[in-house]
Structures are given as structure tokens and as C-alpha cells.
Amino acid sequence: MVSISSACIRHARRALWLLLSGGALLSGCGRAGTSYVNPLKTAEGDTLRIADPFIYKGADNMYYLTGTGGSNGFDCYKSEDLVTWNFAGELYRPAEGHFGTDAFWAPEVKYYKGGYYLTYSCLDPESGRLLPCLAWSGSPEGP
């Protein structure tokens, strides 16, 4: 049996509380003196209307945010400080003839060997299932 100190238990409880309250993600992020408000908003004050948000850092040291937000691809927002977000354009829209026709979900982007790899799911109308997909771009803003 492993003995756990009361200090470890207190630390674990605090970490769990921070995670459940949403405070762990951005605590300490951003420039000194900059604060954030949930839900996230654009520089113009509009609420970001996306689900499954995903933030990635570009090779240009800017932060990019994307997520589920419509039935036909993903939009992109850009920030220097993780607080002030500006619409950067369409990160991805499916090409003509793409098998997926709807329900574009849960995008994630990784930078690897000079390119940005987007993974996402979309609906295959033949099977009725969400299937995984991969797209590539030379720019963090796509397409």
C-alpha cells in the first residue's frame, strides 16, 4: 500500500478544483496586466461561436484558434496574447468532390517539418458515420 501525504491530497484537490472551474487553462497566460473574460471574444467584442476549441502556436510565434463551428469546414482566429482574438479567415473548406458532406467536427492542428497538419472528422453520407480526415497547409491560417 502506498502512503499519500495530506499535502499531496490538498494539492490534488486544488488541481481538480482548478480544472473543474476552468481556471487552469489560462492562469498566467497573456501579457502582464492583460486579463481575459469567458466566453472568449474577438477584438471587436463578438463572442467566438465555436465548440471543441483548439489552440496551436504557429512558427511565426502567433497563436491560432479553431474549432467546430459550422457544417462545412473550420474558421481560424489569430492572437498574440491568447486574449485578443482576430478573425483570420477560413482555415479549411472541403474541396469539390470531398466524400464528407456535413458535420465537420473537432479540428486539431500540428506543425511538423514545415507544414501544418489538420485532423478532423466529417460525415460520410454512405455509411452514416463520422470518419477521420487529414489536410495539409504551408500556412497556420490554411487553407
Side-chain angles (χ1 to χ4, degrees), residues 4 8 23 28 37 39 44 49 52-53 66 81 84 102 116 118 131:
I4 300 175
C8 286
V37 176
E44 294 79 26
R49 299 200 181 275
D52 309 313
T66 190
D81 60 8
T84 305
D102 198 12
Y116 295 86
L118 167 70
L131 298 177

Side-chain angles (χ1 to χ4, degrees), residues 48-122:
L48 296 179
R49 299 200 181 275
I50 59 172
D52 309 313
F54 185 82
I55 295 175
Y56 55 103
K57 192 171 186 177
D60 59 359
N61 286 320
M62 294 293 290
Y63 296 98
Y64 296 87
L65 173 76
T66 190
T68 303
S71 62
N72 196 26
F74 310 105
D75 289 337
C76 181
Y77 295 87
K78 187 175 183 177
S79 175
E80 293 180 347
D81 60 8
L82 293 170
V83 176
T84 305
W85 294 97
N86 293 293
F87 181 69
E90 296 178 344
L91 176 68
Y92 176 79
R93 293 295 184 263
E96 186 70 33
H98 187 282
F99 81 92
T101 58
D102 198 12
F104 286 77
W105 288 85
E108 291 192 13
V109 178
K110 301 290 186 214
Y111 180 76
Y112 179 71
K113 293 187 177 183
Y116 295 86
Y117 292 81
L118 167 70
T119 57
Y120 62 96
S121 297
C122 65

Side-chain angles (χ1 to χ4, degrees), residues 3-21:
S3 175
I4 300 175
S5 72
S6 61
C8 286
I9 292 171
R10 281 193 308 273
H11 181 72
R13 284 182 182 157
R14 178 182 159 97
L16 180 61
W17 179 84
L18 285 171
L19 285 171
L20 293 176
S21 69

